[in-house]
Structure formats: C-alpha cells, structure tokens
PDB file of all heavy atoms in Angstrom:
ATOM      1  N   PHE A   1     133.840 -39.995  52.851  1.00 97.00           N
ATOM      2  CA  PHE A   1     134.494 -38.753  52.478  1.00 97.00           C
ATOM      3  C   PHE A   1     133.518 -37.610  52.745  1.00 97.00           C
ATOM      4  O   PHE A   1     132.433 -37.584  52.243  1.00 97.00           O
ATOM      5  CB  PHE A   1     134.936 -38.706  51.027  1.00 97.00           C
ATOM      6  CG  PHE A   1     135.476 -37.410  50.580  1.00 97.00           C
ATOM      7  CD1 PHE A   1     136.780 -36.954  50.965  1.00 97.00           C
ATOM      8  CD2 PHE A   1     134.751 -36.520  49.755  1.00 97.00           C
ATOM      9  CE1 PHE A   1     137.237 -35.715  50.639  1.00 97.00           C
ATOM     10  CE2 PHE A   1     135.260 -35.325  49.366  1.00 97.00           C
ATOM     11  CZ  PHE A   1     136.496 -34.863  49.788  1.00 97.00           C
ATOM     12  N   VAL A   2     134.003 -36.592  53.504  1.00 98.00           N
ATOM     13  CA  VAL A   2     133.187 -35.452  53.822  1.00 98.00           C
ATOM     14  C   VAL A   2     133.932 -34.148  53.419  1.00 98.00           C
ATOM     15  O   VAL A   2     135.064 -33.956  53.760  1.00 98.00           O
ATOM     16  CB  VAL A   2     132.882 -35.373  55.371  1.00 98.00           C
ATOM     17  CG1 VAL A   2     131.939 -34.269  55.713  1.00 98.00           C
ATOM     18  CG2 VAL A   2     132.377 -36.690  55.909  1.00 98.00           C
ATOM     19  N   SER A   3     133.198 -33.311  52.678  1.00 98.00           N
ATOM     20  CA  SER A   3     133.710 -31.998  52.263  1.00 98.00           C
ATOM     21  C   SER A   3     132.986 -30.960  52.957  1.00 98.00           C
ATOM     22  O   SER A   3     131.746 -30.939  53.000  1.00 98.00           O
ATOM     23  CB  SER A   3     133.540 -31.915  50.724  1.00 98.00           C
ATOM     24  OG  SER A   3     134.011 -30.640  50.222  1.00 98.00           O
ATOM     25  N   ILE A   4     133.778 -30.064  53.634  1.00 98.00           N
ATOM     26  CA  ILE A   4     133.148 -29.073  54.495  1.00 98.00           C
ATOM     27  C   ILE A   4     133.679 -27.665  54.063  1.00 98.00           C
ATOM     28  O   ILE A   4     134.848 -27.337  54.039  1.00 98.00           O
ATOM     29  CB  ILE A   4     133.451 -29.229  55.941  1.00 98.00           C
ATOM     30  CG1 ILE A   4     132.987 -30.650  56.379  1.00 98.00           C
ATOM     31  CG2 ILE A   4     132.828 -28.141  56.803  1.00 98.00           C
ATOM     32  CD1 ILE A   4     133.483 -31.000  57.861  1.00 98.00           C
ATOM     33  N   GLY A   5     132.715 -26.731  53.701  1.00 96.00           N
ATOM     34  CA  GLY A   5     133.053 -25.326  53.484  1.00 96.00           C
ATOM     35  C   GLY A   5     133.982 -25.087  52.293  1.00 96.00           C
ATOM     36  O   GLY A   5     134.799 -24.184  52.364  1.00 96.00           O
ATOM     37  N   THR A   6     133.830 -25.872  51.206  1.00 94.00           N
ATOM     38  CA  THR A   6     134.698 -25.706  50.046  1.00 94.00           C
ATOM     39  C   THR A   6     133.873 -25.225  48.847  1.00 94.00           C
ATOM     40  O   THR A   6     132.661 -25.581  48.720  1.00 94.00           O
ATOM     41  CB  THR A   6     135.461 -26.969  49.727  1.00 94.00           C
ATOM     42  OG1 THR A   6     134.527 -27.981  49.252  1.00 94.00           O
ATOM     43  CG2 THR A   6     136.214 -27.497  50.917  1.00 94.00           C
ATOM     44  N   SER A   7     134.567 -24.572  47.901  1.00 88.00           N
ATOM     45  CA  SER A   7     133.834 -24.046  46.689  1.00 88.00           C
ATOM     46  C   SER A   7     133.586 -25.151  45.727  1.00 88.00           C
ATOM     47  O   SER A   7     132.735 -25.080  44.869  1.00 88.00           O
ATOM     48  CB  SER A   7     134.585 -22.872  46.146  1.00 88.00           C
ATOM     49  OG  SER A   7     135.877 -23.353  45.686  1.00 88.00           O
ATOM     50  N   GLY A   8     134.501 -26.128  45.709  1.00 87.00           N
ATOM     51  CA  GLY A   8     134.361 -27.207  44.732  1.00 87.00           C
ATOM     52  C   GLY A   8     134.932 -26.902  43.378  1.00 87.00           C
ATOM     53  O   GLY A   8     134.679 -27.550  42.373  1.00 87.00           O
ATOM     54  N   ASN A   9     135.666 -25.772  43.289  1.00 85.00           N
ATOM     55  CA  ASN A   9     136.268 -25.398  41.947  1.00 85.00           C
ATOM     56  C   ASN A   9     137.792 -25.226  41.936  1.00 85.00           C
ATOM     57  O   ASN A   9     138.383 -24.698  41.024  1.00 85.00           O
ATOM     58  CB  ASN A   9     135.579 -24.161  41.408  1.00 85.00           C
ATOM     59  CG  ASN A   9     135.808 -22.925  42.327  1.00 85.00           C
ATOM     60  OD1 ASN A   9     136.590 -22.963  43.224  1.00 85.00           O
ATOM     61  ND2 ASN A   9     135.004 -21.892  42.095  1.00 85.00           N
ATOM     62  N   VAL A  10     138.445 -25.661  43.055  1.00 86.00           N
ATOM     63  CA  VAL A  10     139.936 -25.552  43.111  1.00 86.00           C
ATOM     64  C   VAL A  10     140.472 -26.924  43.151  1.00 86.00           C
ATOM     65  O   VAL A  10     140.236 -27.725  44.066  1.00 86.00           O
ATOM     66  CB  VAL A  10     140.301 -24.800  44.423  1.00 86.00           C
ATOM     67  CG1 VAL A  10     141.864 -24.741  44.462  1.00 86.00           C
ATOM     68  CG2 VAL A  10     139.796 -23.335  44.357  1.00 86.00           C
ATOM     69  N   TYR A  11     141.297 -27.257  42.139  1.00 89.00           N
ATOM     70  CA  TYR A  11     141.940 -28.575  42.002  1.00 89.00           C
ATOM     71  C   TYR A  11     143.381 -28.503  42.576  1.00 89.00           C
ATOM     72  O   TYR A  11     143.914 -27.495  42.541  1.00 89.00           O
ATOM     73  CB  TYR A  11     141.914 -29.007  40.548  1.00 89.00           C
ATOM     74  CG  TYR A  11     140.581 -29.490  40.099  1.00 89.00           C
ATOM     75  CD1 TYR A  11     139.575 -28.560  39.636  1.00 89.00           C
ATOM     76  CD2 TYR A  11     140.164 -30.780  40.114  1.00 89.00           C
ATOM     77  CE1 TYR A  11     138.332 -28.971  39.258  1.00 89.00           C
ATOM     78  CE2 TYR A  11     138.838 -31.222  39.773  1.00 89.00           C
ATOM     79  CZ  TYR A  11     137.989 -30.269  39.318  1.00 89.00           C
ATOM     80  OH  TYR A  11     136.730 -30.678  38.993  1.00 89.00           O
ATOM     81  N   PRO A  12     143.795 -29.627  43.124  1.00 94.00           N
ATOM     82  CA  PRO A  12     143.194 -31.018  43.113  1.00 94.00           C
ATOM     83  C   PRO A  12     142.114 -31.309  44.066  1.00 94.00           C
ATOM     84  O   PRO A  12     141.479 -32.376  44.041  1.00 94.00           O
ATOM     85  CB  PRO A  12     144.392 -31.953  43.281  1.00 94.00           C
ATOM     86  CG  PRO A  12     145.256 -31.149  44.190  1.00 94.00           C
ATOM     87  CD  PRO A  12     145.160 -29.706  43.716  1.00 94.00           C
ATOM     88  N   ALA A  13     141.889 -30.502  45.016  1.00 94.00           N
ATOM     89  CA  ALA A  13     140.894 -30.814  46.131  1.00 94.00           C
ATOM     90  C   ALA A  13     139.484 -31.044  45.594  1.00 94.00           C
ATOM     91  O   ALA A  13     138.786 -31.937  46.096  1.00 94.00           O
ATOM     92  CB  ALA A  13     140.924 -29.716  47.136  1.00 94.00           C
ATOM     93  N   ALA A  14     139.127 -30.295  44.553  1.00 91.00           N
ATOM     94  CA  ALA A  14     137.782 -30.472  44.012  1.00 91.00           C
ATOM     95  C   ALA A  14     137.582 -31.891  43.432  1.00 91.00           C
ATOM     96  O   ALA A  14     136.460 -32.293  43.216  1.00 91.00           O
ATOM     97  CB  ALA A  14     137.549 -29.470  42.872  1.00 91.00           C
ATOM     98  N   GLY A  15     138.692 -32.570  43.060  1.00 96.00           N
ATOM     99  CA  GLY A  15     138.621 -33.943  42.482  1.00 96.00           C
ATOM    100  C   GLY A  15     138.591 -35.024  43.584  1.00 96.00           C
ATOM    101  O   GLY A  15     138.462 -36.188  43.253  1.00 96.00           O
ATOM    102  N   PHE A  16     138.705 -34.714  44.871  1.00 97.00           N
ATOM    103  CA  PHE A  16     138.734 -35.725  45.871  1.00 97.00           C
ATOM    104  C   PHE A  16     137.472 -36.596  45.970  1.00 97.00           C
ATOM    105  O   PHE A  16     137.537 -37.740  46.200  1.00 97.00           O
ATOM    106  CB  PHE A  16     139.045 -35.059  47.286  1.00 97.00           C
ATOM    107  CG  PHE A  16     140.410 -34.572  47.379  1.00 97.00           C
ATOM    108  CD1 PHE A  16     140.837 -33.868  48.574  1.00 97.00           C
ATOM    109  CD2 PHE A  16     141.382 -34.749  46.458  1.00 97.00           C
ATOM    110  CE1 PHE A  16     142.069 -33.400  48.720  1.00 97.00           C
ATOM    111  CE2 PHE A  16     142.660 -34.308  46.563  1.00 97.00           C
ATOM    112  CZ  PHE A  16     143.015 -33.561  47.756  1.00 97.00           C
ATOM    113  N   VAL A  17     136.340 -35.913  45.781  1.00 97.00           N
ATOM    114  CA  VAL A  17     135.033 -36.580  45.932  1.00 97.00           C
ATOM    115  C   VAL A  17     134.989 -37.706  44.796  1.00 97.00           C
ATOM    116  O   VAL A  17     134.587 -38.878  45.175  1.00 97.00           O
ATOM    117  CB  VAL A  17     133.843 -35.695  45.841  1.00 97.00           C
ATOM    118  CG1 VAL A  17     133.855 -34.857  44.564  1.00 97.00           C
ATOM    119  CG2 VAL A  17     132.501 -36.446  45.978  1.00 97.00           C
ATOM    120  N   ALA A  18     135.390 -37.421  43.585  1.00 96.00           N
ATOM    121  CA  ALA A  18     135.334 -38.450  42.556  1.00 96.00           C
ATOM    122  C   ALA A  18     136.325 -39.576  42.796  1.00 96.00           C
ATOM    123  O   ALA A  18     136.071 -40.777  42.612  1.00 96.00           O
ATOM    124  CB  ALA A  18     135.648 -37.820  41.158  1.00 96.00           C
ATOM    125  N   GLU A  19     137.502 -39.167  43.352  1.00 96.00           N
ATOM    126  CA  GLU A  19     138.595 -40.203  43.701  1.00 96.00           C
ATOM    127  C   GLU A  19     138.047 -41.135  44.791  1.00 96.00           C
ATOM    128  O   GLU A  19     138.176 -42.344  44.703  1.00 96.00           O
ATOM    129  CB  GLU A  19     139.799 -39.503  44.133  1.00 96.00           C
ATOM    130  CG  GLU A  19     141.054 -40.412  44.111  1.00 96.00           C
ATOM    131  CD  GLU A  19     142.359 -39.630  44.186  1.00 96.00           C
ATOM    132  OE1 GLU A  19     142.337 -38.405  44.042  1.00 96.00           O
ATOM    133  OE2 GLU A  19     143.360 -40.279  44.394  1.00 96.00           O
ATOM    134  N   ALA A  20     137.406 -40.650  45.814  1.00 97.00           N
ATOM    135  CA  ALA A  20     136.885 -41.389  46.858  1.00 97.00           C
ATOM    136  C   ALA A  20     135.758 -42.297  46.404  1.00 97.00           C
ATOM    137  O   ALA A  20     135.762 -43.554  46.805  1.00 97.00           O
ATOM    138  CB  ALA A  20     136.380 -40.551  48.023  1.00 97.00           C
ATOM    139  N   HIS A  21     134.948 -41.833  45.563  1.00 94.00           N
ATOM    140  CA  HIS A  21     133.805 -42.617  44.953  1.00 94.00           C
ATOM    141  C   HIS A  21     134.427 -43.813  44.097  1.00 94.00           C
ATOM    142  O   HIS A  21     134.054 -44.904  44.317  1.00 94.00           O
ATOM    143  CB  HIS A  21     132.977 -41.738  44.030  1.00 94.00           C
ATOM    144  CG  HIS A  21     131.695 -41.349  44.578  1.00 94.00           C
ATOM    145  ND1 HIS A  21     130.836 -42.208  45.193  1.00 94.00           N
ATOM    146  CD2 HIS A  21     131.075 -40.171  44.662  1.00 94.00           C
ATOM    147  CE1 HIS A  21     129.765 -41.629  45.602  1.00 94.00           C
ATOM    148  NE2 HIS A  21     129.835 -40.375  45.264  1.00 94.00           N
ATOM    149  N   HIS A  22     135.251 -43.467  43.187  1.00 94.00           N
ATOM    150  CA  HIS A  22     135.665 -44.451  42.156  1.00 94.00           C
ATOM    151  C   HIS A  22     136.672 -45.392  42.745  1.00 94.00           C
ATOM    152  O   HIS A  22     136.651 -46.610  42.360  1.00 94.00           O
ATOM    153  CB  HIS A  22     136.291 -43.699  41.001  1.00 94.00           C
ATOM    154  CG  HIS A  22     135.252 -42.859  40.272  1.00 94.00           C
ATOM    155  ND1 HIS A  22     135.486 -41.690  39.517  1.00 94.00           N
ATOM    156  CD2 HIS A  22     133.848 -42.995  40.233  1.00 94.00           C
ATOM    157  CE1 HIS A  22     134.446 -41.178  39.091  1.00 94.00           C
ATOM    158  NE2 HIS A  22     133.420 -41.836  39.484  1.00 94.00           N
ATOM    159  N   ARG A  23     137.615 -44.991  43.548  1.00 93.00           N
ATOM    160  CA  ARG A  23     138.654 -45.872  44.043  1.00 93.00           C
ATOM    161  C   ARG A  23     138.270 -46.660  45.291  1.00 93.00           C
ATOM    162  O   ARG A  23     138.703 -47.768  45.457  1.00 93.00           O
ATOM    163  CB  ARG A  23     139.968 -45.046  44.284  1.00 93.00           C
ATOM    164  CG  ARG A  23     140.589 -44.510  43.062  1.00 93.00           C
ATOM    165  CD  ARG A  23     141.935 -43.720  43.431  1.00 93.00           C
ATOM    166  NE  ARG A  23     142.788 -44.627  44.157  1.00 93.00           N
ATOM    167  CZ  ARG A  23     143.691 -44.227  45.020  1.00 93.00           C
ATOM    168  NH1 ARG A  23     143.844 -42.911  45.243  1.00 93.00           N
ATOM    169  NH2 ARG A  23     144.496 -45.057  45.631  1.00 93.00           N
ATOM    170  N   ALA A  24     137.511 -46.084  46.157  1.00 93.00           N
ATOM    171  CA  ALA A  24     137.181 -46.768  47.469  1.00 93.00           C
ATOM    172  C   ALA A  24     135.688 -47.101  47.548  1.00 93.00           C
ATOM    173  O   ALA A  24     135.345 -47.859  48.433  1.00 93.00           O
ATOM    174  CB  ALA A  24     137.508 -45.789  48.582  1.00 93.00           C
ATOM    175  N   GLY A  25     134.852 -46.631  46.642  1.00 94.00           N
ATOM    176  CA  GLY A  25     133.424 -46.878  46.751  1.00 94.00           C
ATOM    177  C   GLY A  25     132.843 -46.136  48.007  1.00 94.00           C
ATOM    178  O   GLY A  25     131.884 -46.653  48.541  1.00 94.00           O
ATOM    179  N   ALA A  26     133.543 -45.101  48.457  1.00 95.00           N
ATOM    180  CA  ALA A  26     133.186 -44.370  49.667  1.00 95.00           C
ATOM    181  C   ALA A  26     131.838 -43.638  49.523  1.00 95.00           C
ATOM    182  O   ALA A  26     131.470 -43.213  48.433  1.00 95.00           O
ATOM    183  CB  ALA A  26     134.270 -43.406  50.024  1.00 95.00           C
ATOM    184  N   HIS A  27     131.101 -43.540  50.600  1.00 95.00           N
ATOM    185  CA  HIS A  27     130.002 -42.596  50.650  1.00 95.00           C
ATOM    186  C   HIS A  27     130.540 -41.212  50.803  1.00 95.00           C
ATOM    187  O   HIS A  27     131.544 -40.975  51.541  1.00 95.00           O
ATOM    188  CB  HIS A  27     129.059 -43.013  51.848  1.00 95.00           C
ATOM    189  CG  HIS A  27     128.346 -44.261  51.699  1.00 95.00           C
ATOM    190  ND1 HIS A  27     127.119 -44.331  51.031  1.00 95.00           N
ATOM    191  CD2 HIS A  27     128.748 -45.498  52.016  1.00 95.00           C
ATOM    192  CE1 HIS A  27     126.730 -45.582  51.020  1.00 95.00           C
ATOM    193  NE2 HIS A  27     127.635 -46.360  51.650  1.00 95.00           N
ATOM    194  N   CYS A  28     129.950 -40.249  50.087  1.00 95.00           N
ATOM    195  CA  CYS A  28     130.440 -38.931  50.077  1.00 95.00           C
ATOM    196  C   CYS A  28     129.446 -37.904  50.542  1.00 95.00           C
ATOM    197  O   CYS A  28     128.268 -37.996  49.985  1.00 95.00           O
ATOM    198  CB  CYS A  28     131.018 -38.526  48.666  1.00 95.00           C
ATOM    199  SG  CYS A  28     132.377 -39.594  48.168  1.00 95.00           S
ATOM    200  N   MET A  29     129.786 -37.069  51.364  1.00 96.00           N
ATOM    201  CA  MET A  29     128.874 -36.108  52.051  1.00 96.00           C
ATOM    202  C   MET A  29     129.345 -34.682  51.865  1.00 96.00           C
ATOM    203  O   MET A  29     130.565 -34.485  52.104  1.00 96.00           O
ATOM    204  CB  MET A  29     128.739 -36.485  53.463  1.00 96.00           C
ATOM    205  CG  MET A  29     127.729 -35.705  54.285  1.00 96.00           C
ATOM    206  SD  MET A  29     126.072 -36.395  54.109  1.00 96.00           S
ATOM    207  CE  MET A  29     125.107 -35.246  55.061  1.00 96.00           C
ATOM    208  N   GLU A  30     128.479 -33.767  51.537  1.00 97.00           N
ATOM    209  CA  GLU A  30     128.844 -32.390  51.516  1.00 97.00           C
ATOM    210  C   GLU A  30     128.116 -31.572  52.620  1.00 97.00           C
ATOM    211  O   GLU A  30     126.981 -31.696  52.860  1.00 97.00           O
ATOM    212  CB  GLU A  30     128.509 -31.723  50.173  1.00 97.00           C
ATOM    213  CG  GLU A  30     128.718 -30.166  50.174  1.00 97.00           C
ATOM    214  CD  GLU A  30     128.707 -29.659  48.780  1.00 97.00           C
ATOM    215  OE1 GLU A  30     127.514 -29.391  48.303  1.00 97.00           O
ATOM    216  OE2 GLU A  30     129.760 -29.440  48.092  1.00 97.00           O
ATOM    217  N   LEU A  31     128.916 -30.878  53.416  1.00 98.00           N
ATOM    218  CA  LEU A  31     128.457 -29.955  54.469  1.00 98.00           C
ATOM    219  C   LEU A  31     128.927 -28.572  54.087  1.00 98.00           C
ATOM    220  O   LEU A  31     130.093 -28.249  54.053  1.00 98.00           O
ATOM    221  CB  LEU A  31     128.991 -30.341  55.845  1.00 98.00           C
ATOM    222  CG  LEU A  31     128.841 -31.798  56.318  1.00 98.00           C
ATOM    223  CD1 LEU A  31     129.495 -31.977  57.716  1.00 98.00           C
ATOM    224  CD2 LEU A  31     127.379 -32.193  56.326  1.00 98.00           C
ATOM    225  N   ASN A  32     127.948 -27.708  53.734  1.00 97.00           N
ATOM    226  CA  ASN A  32     128.404 -26.382  53.174  1.00 97.00           C
ATOM    227  C   ASN A  32     127.299 -25.358  53.427  1.00 97.00           C
ATOM    228  O   ASN A  32     126.106 -25.687  53.751  1.00 97.00           O
ATOM    229  CB  ASN A  32     128.624 -26.571  51.690  1.00 97.00           C
ATOM    230  CG  ASN A  32     129.711 -25.633  51.222  1.00 97.00           C
ATOM    231  OD1 ASN A  32     130.184 -24.746  51.892  1.00 97.00           O
ATOM    232  ND2 ASN A  32     130.233 -25.902  50.001  1.00 97.00           N
ATOM    233  N   LEU A  33     127.572 -24.099  53.294  1.00 95.00           N
ATOM    234  CA  LEU A  33     126.656 -23.058  53.427  1.00 95.00           C
ATOM    235  C   LEU A  33     125.643 -23.152  52.331  1.00 95.00           C
ATOM    236  O   LEU A  33     124.392 -22.928  52.511  1.00 95.00           O
ATOM    237  CB  LEU A  33     127.311 -21.728  53.440  1.00 95.00           C
ATOM    238  CG  LEU A  33     126.435 -20.491  53.794  1.00 95.00           C
ATOM    239  CD1 LEU A  33     125.842 -20.553  55.224  1.00 95.00           C
ATOM    240  CD2 LEU A  33     127.229 -19.215  53.614  1.00 95.00           C
ATOM    241  N   GLU A  34     126.034 -23.516  51.143  1.00 94.00           N
ATOM    242  CA  GLU A  34     125.202 -23.696  49.972  1.00 94.00           C
ATOM    243  C   GLU A  34     125.791 -24.704  48.983  1.00 94.00           C
ATOM    244  O   GLU A  34     127.043 -25.049  49.208  1.00 94.00           O
ATOM    245  CB  GLU A  34     125.002 -22.395  49.211  1.00 94.00           C
ATOM    246  CG  GLU A  34     126.259 -21.700  48.819  1.00 94.00           C
ATOM    247  CD  GLU A  34     126.127 -20.334  48.327  1.00 94.00           C
ATOM    248  OE1 GLU A  34     125.079 -19.730  48.700  1.00 94.00           O
ATOM    249  OE2 GLU A  34     126.959 -19.780  47.620  1.00 94.00           O
ATOM    250  N   PRO A  35     125.162 -25.280  48.070  1.00 95.00           N
ATOM    251  CA  PRO A  35     125.743 -26.278  47.182  1.00 95.00           C
ATOM    252  C   PRO A  35     127.017 -25.722  46.454  1.00 95.00           C
ATOM    253  O   PRO A  35     127.076 -24.626  45.979  1.00 95.00           O
ATOM    254  CB  PRO A  35     124.627 -26.504  46.187  1.00 95.00           C
ATOM    255  CG  PRO A  35     123.364 -26.261  46.947  1.00 95.00           C
ATOM    256  CD  PRO A  35     123.693 -25.037  47.802  1.00 95.00           C
ATOM    257  N   SER A  36     128.033 -26.566  46.515  1.00 93.00           N
ATOM    258  CA  SER A  36     129.338 -26.223  45.804  1.00 93.00           C
ATOM    259  C   SER A  36     129.230 -26.508  44.372  1.00 93.00           C
ATOM    260  O   SER A  36     128.180 -27.013  43.859  1.00 93.00           O
ATOM    261  CB  SER A  36     130.460 -27.065  46.435  1.00 93.00           C
ATOM    262  OG  SER A  36     130.316 -28.427  46.034  1.00 93.00           O
ATOM    263  N   ASP A  37     130.231 -26.155  43.623  1.00 91.00           N
ATOM    264  CA  ASP A  37     130.221 -26.438  42.182  1.00 91.00           C
ATOM    265  C   ASP A  37     130.169 -27.943  41.896  1.00 91.00           C
ATOM    266  O   ASP A  37     129.719 -28.385  40.789  1.00 91.00           O
ATOM    267  CB  ASP A  37     131.543 -25.869  41.460  1.00 91.00           C
ATOM    268  CG  ASP A  37     131.454 -24.363  41.463  1.00 91.00           C
ATOM    269  OD1 ASP A  37     130.468 -23.764  41.805  1.00 91.00           O
ATOM    270  OD2 ASP A  37     132.481 -23.793  40.938  1.00 91.00           O
TER     271      ASP A  37
END
C-alpha cells in the first residue's frame, strides 16, 4: 500500500494504511512532501 501526497487526516482514506496492515499484512509506504499526520 502506497500513500502519495496526502495529509493523513481525512477519513476514511486516512484509515487505509491501518486497514492494509491489519487485514492483508501489507507493506505500507508513504511518499510525501513531508510526514503526514
């Protein structure tokens, strides 16, 4: 799961990383201008 250019504070999208982690055991990567929330 890759998150690109997001603030990390708008749901439900902000919850996708936790969902990918917990349900699929996916590796999760953030690509952003600066760290998101």
Side-chain angles (χ1 to χ4, degrees):
F1 172 74
V2 185
S3 177
I4 303 173
T6 67
S7 63
N9 61 13
V10 178
Y11 285 83
F16 289 175
V17 56
E19 194 166 351
H21 254 314
H22 297 152
R23 292 183 56 208
H27 290 273
C28 297
M29 184 85 181
E30 176 168 81
L31 308 178
N32 215 347
L33 188 61
E34 56 190 20
S36 70
D37 287 359

